[in-house]
């Protein structure tokens, strides 16, 4: 914390001393800058007409349209007296008198535009955001345009996002690598299946982040941005839906906005049922004989959770905003399975079988508190932001396991190692604190300096007691191999500086990030199991170079250094066991470091066609990967042979590939986005054991088609395919999935909408992998109910009310006239 306090002093000094005013050419010239904002929502007004007039005869000297953030600027303007005229449809025209002195810069400040209610009554807005937008440094997926994910979770949304793949367990990868997942730009204790899709505004994909972003994540950052409305007046939406798998969902969004106060709230509830099926076939190769295991599990998954979020924006004045929000998520996930095992001899003939259960459940409650502050200085783009995030997750866990063997004549078999019967009960909590300060100073009209500090601290506590039945006494005794009391803490401190600029059509950006981290863990139930790791300061440079060409196309090359730190479950040494397979963490695991290079080309054709091509190369040292080995474990006083998996640091992993993303408006009302990824990966794990090298070619593709049909219908078809993926000791089989959705809007202003979707039409979503060790060959197939028909209804309500908390004035109102507003500066 002393380090963080020191950095806090540094950033304050930066904010007070680094500010530099732009120099303007010519002793008799100056510059005029300003920003246009909506008077009610305080949001930027883009593409408004800003004209600079001569007061004597109102002739136009020059003009421009305001930028996407509401900014406008006129440079190299002769000294004198001018009249600014701001005009935009739906707003009252504003005039400002400007006195510009030679060699100076006049900041017109935040110019508020008041809505012209009379003119707005006749305006119908027909534009809409596309499903997927591409930029050279970031791609954005707009979730409200994804029809097949309505009523789902963030896991369903991420499956639709180009460049992203999600497996059956919810593990996310980008370009065949692990990204860092944020919520609203900050770390979170939530998993992607605990975030409702209806609460998400957009997904941001940054494949090669600059030094401004966290260095964590081999293949970049996925930022899940939650919805937050700032429309004037009272506005909201109510949703409800059901599915053929016995699932249901509902929710409400509400926002109340007036002058300097904005309140927003959202609540979602979701439940889902799904059958599950697992088949494992393993060949056990011993020194004297070969046997086989044929195992089946059939069961059900049940998911239910509630998601609530509320907050307040306080617009203290034109340049200072304070935001406070609170989220609460509560739910329970259950997995109940009946299992049957067959032991086979050398000729694969059944010699005995076993039956039992393998059940587990997880209850959770998550709290997230966010406090944010933003200050906009008078100079365009000059700002200071600070925020604090507190995450707390409380959980409970339970397991129930039994297995009774029989001979082939159905007679029960009893021996010191069987039958098996045990249960586990536990609880845990995670606390995650994040504090960050960011400062941006546009040093000149063509360059910008950014600097910031961040500290994160996480504490994890877990306690689970597993008891197994001793059939000789009939008593349950603690199974120390499957019980643990674990405490883990980590702290990561970081600071960065970034400088960017342009020279005509050439852009450059160079940055350096420094991070230091501390880890400490203790398995309190096992002697001499504590560890403490202090990593020194690591440097993460980044360089971005870009060139814009005439004809709306751009070329960029960039480099960044990345890190992937072990997650606490990767380090957790406790054992998890299920049907002769076991897994554990590895406290000796070290972070992996990646050098990431990317070359990208973006071309836009008449705003109807976009093409982006990227080639990339990643070199990773100390690559974290799973390792499988055959071993014998003492479980509940019994020696059992199992296949044990745990993470290790392989020597290297090298990946290179190409990504193609094309968005085409084929016809008016029909657009298609196609994404294709090709990659070659090689893993070298000879440092762990002999013959642990593997390499292979993988690819995956996604297609998203949106079509406007007669009768106001919107049809969306999405499909994805993923080829086989290599593992250090095997491979995962290829898979594909197709979704279809249809939406219809009703009533005035399209306030009511009905969405029908069929997920995984061909019922092909599953997981199949093959693993080979020195003493076994294994095939594992897992499948759960994925073909699902959902129907959802949404109703939008509310209207823009400029004086929500005030009495209405007599007819004509405060802004009833058409006279322009005049101010003198």
């Amino acid at each position: 914390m002393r380090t963080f306090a020191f950095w806090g002093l540094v950033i304050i000094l930066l904010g007070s001393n680094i500010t530099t005013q732009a120099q303007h050419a010519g002793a008799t010239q100056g510059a005029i800058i300003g920003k246009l904002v909506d008077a009610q929502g305080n949001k930027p007004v883009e593409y408004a007409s800003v004209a600079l007039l001569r007061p004597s005869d109102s002739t136009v000297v020059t003009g421009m349209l305001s930028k996407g953030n509401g900014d406008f600027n006129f440079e190299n303007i002769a000294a004198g007296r001018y009249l600014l005229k701001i005009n935009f449809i739906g707003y009252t025209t504003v005039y400002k008198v400007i006195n510009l002195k030679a060699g100076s810069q006049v900041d017109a400040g935040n110019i508020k535009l008041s809505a012209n209610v009379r003119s707005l009554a006749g305006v119908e807005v027909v534009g809409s955001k596309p499903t997927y937008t591409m930029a050279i440094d970031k791609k954005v997926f707009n979730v409200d345009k994804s029809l097949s994910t309505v009523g789902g979770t963030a896991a369903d949304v991420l499956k639709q996002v180009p460049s992203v793949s999600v497996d059956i367990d919810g593990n996310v990868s980008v370009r065949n690598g692990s990204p860092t997942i944020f919520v609203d730009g900050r770390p979170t204790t939530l998993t992607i299946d605990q975030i409702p899709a209806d609460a998400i505004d957009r997904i941001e994909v940054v494949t090669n982040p600059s030094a401004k972003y966290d260095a964590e994540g081999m293949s970049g950052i996925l930022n899940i941005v939650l919805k937050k409305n700032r429309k004037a007046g009272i506005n909201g939406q109510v949703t409800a839906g059901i599915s053929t798998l016995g699932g249901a969902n509902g929710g409400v969004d509400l926002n109340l906005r007036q002058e300097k106060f904005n309140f927003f709230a959202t609540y979602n509830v979701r439940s889902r049922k799904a059958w599950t099926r697992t088949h494992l076939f393993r060949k056990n190769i011993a020194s004297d004989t070969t046997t086989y295991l044929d195992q089946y599990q059939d069961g059900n998954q049940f998911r239910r959770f509630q998601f609530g979020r509320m907050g307040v924006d306080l617009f203290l004045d034109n340049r200072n905003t304070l935001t406070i929000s609170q989220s609460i998520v509560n739910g329970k996930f259950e997995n109940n399975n009946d299992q049957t095992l067959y032991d086979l001899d050398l000729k694969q003939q059944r010699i005995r079988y076993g039956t039992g259960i393998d059940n587990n459940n997880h209850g959770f409650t998550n709290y997230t508190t966010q406090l944010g502050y933003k200050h906009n200085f008078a100079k365009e783009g000059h700002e200071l932001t600070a925020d604090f995030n507190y995450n707390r997750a409380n959980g409970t866990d339970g397991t129930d396991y039994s297995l009774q063997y029989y001979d082939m004549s159905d007679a029960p078999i009893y021996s010191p190692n069987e039958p098996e019967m045990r249960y586990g009960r536990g609880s845990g909590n995670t606390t995650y604190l994040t504090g960050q300060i960011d400062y941006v100073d546009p040093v000149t009209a063509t360059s910008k300096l950014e600097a910031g500090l961040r500290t994160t601290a996480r504490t994890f506590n877990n306690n689970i007691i597993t008891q197994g039945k001793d059939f000789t006494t009939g008593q349950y005794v603690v199974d120390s191999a499957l019980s643990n009391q674990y405490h883990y803490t980590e702290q990561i401190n970081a600071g960065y500086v970034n400088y960017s600029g342009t020279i005509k059509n050439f852009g450059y950006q160079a940055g350096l990030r420094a991070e230091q981290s501390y880890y400490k863990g203790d398995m309190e139930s096992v002697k001499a199991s504590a560890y403490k790791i202090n990593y020194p300061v690591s440097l993460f440079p980044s360089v971005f170079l870009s060139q814009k060409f005439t004809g709306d196309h751009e070329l960029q090359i960039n480099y960044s250094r990345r890190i992937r730190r072990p997650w606490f479950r990767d380090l957790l040494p406790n054992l998890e066991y299920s049907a002769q397979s076991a897994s554990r963490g590895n406290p000796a695991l070290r972070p992996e470091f990646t050098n990431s290079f990317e070359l990208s080309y973006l071309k836009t054709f008449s705003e109807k066609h976009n093409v982006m091509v990227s080639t990339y190369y990643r070199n990773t040292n100390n690559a974290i990967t799973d390792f499988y080995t055959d071993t014998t474990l003492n479980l509940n006083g019994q020696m059992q042979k199992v296949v044990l998996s745990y993470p290790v640091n392989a020597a290297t992993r090298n990946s290179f590939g190409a990504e193609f993303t094309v968005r085409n408006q084929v016809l008016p009302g029909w657009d298609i986005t196609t994404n294709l990824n090709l990659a070659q990966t090689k893993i070298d794990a000879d440092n762990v054991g002999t013959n642990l090298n593997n390499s292979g070619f993988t690819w995956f593709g996604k297609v998203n088609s949106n079509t406007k049909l007669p009768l106001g219908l919107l049809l969306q078809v999405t499909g994805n395919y993923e080829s086989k993926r290599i593992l250090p000791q095997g491979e995962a089989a290829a898979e594909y999935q197709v979704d279809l959705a249809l939406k219809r809007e009703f009533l005035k202003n399209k306030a009511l909408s009905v969405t029908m979707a069929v997920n995984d039409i061909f019922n092909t979503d599953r997981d199949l992998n093959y693993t080979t060790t020195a003493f076994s060959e294994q095939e594992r197939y897992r499948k759960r109910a994925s073909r699902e028909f959902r129907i959802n209804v949404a109703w939008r309500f509310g209207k823009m009310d400029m004086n929500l908390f005030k009495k209405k004035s007599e007819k004509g109102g405060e802004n009833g006239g058409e006279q322009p507003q005049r101010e003198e500066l």
Side-chain angles (χ1 to χ4, degrees), residues 9 33 135 143 146 216 222 342 352 398 400 412 466 644 666 734 737:
L9 178 61
I33 66 172
V143 177
S146 178
E216 180 75 29
L222 286 178
Y342 296 96
R352 66 173 187 169
D400 291 279
T466 301
L644 177 66
V666 183
Q737 182 177 336

Side-chain angles (χ1 to χ4, degrees), residues 455-482:
T455 184
T456 61
R458 178 166 57 179
T459 302
F460 172 78
N461 296 288
N462 188 65
N463 181 22
I464 185 167
I465 302 297
T466 301
Q467 298 195 67
K469 187 174 184 179
D470 184 343
F471 285 89
T472 61
T473 64
Q475 302 295 317
Y476 281 89
V477 295
V478 174
D479 187 340
S480 59
L482 298 176

Side-chain angles (χ1 to χ4, degrees), residues 352 405 415-420 422 479-481 575 577 580 631-643:
R352 66 173 187 169
Y405 273 104
S415 72
N417 294 334
E418 49 204 61
E420 299 177 56
R422 57 179 169 269
D479 187 340
S480 59
L575 198 67
Y577 173 80
Q580 300 189 10
T631 188
T632 301
L633 299 176
N634 188 323
L635 301 173
N636 197 31
Q638 304 171 7
M639 302 305 294
Q640 297 191 29
K641 186 175 181 180
V642 301
V643 174

Side-chain angles (χ1 to χ4, degrees), residues 473-520:
T473 64
Q475 302 295 317
Y476 281 89
V477 295
V478 174
D479 187 340
S480 59
L482 298 176
S483 301
N484 75 78
Q485 186 175 354
Y486 188 69
H487 177 75
Y488 167 84
T489 61
E490 74 172 30
Q491 182 170 345
I492 302 173
N493 300 317
Y496 76 90
V497 61
N498 224 26
Y499 188 82
S500 60
T502 58
I503 303 174
K504 295 185 178 180
N505 289 326
F506 175 75
Y508 60 90
Q509 177 180 281
L512 182 65
R513 188 179 187 90
E515 294 189 352
Q516 60 180 171
S517 54
Y518 308 91
Y519 300 85
K520 184 171 66 175

Side-chain angles (χ1 to χ4, degrees), residues 574-585:
N574 77 294
L575 198 67
E576 294 184 1
Y577 173 80
S578 176
Q580 300 189 10
S581 297
S583 63
R584 64 168 175 82

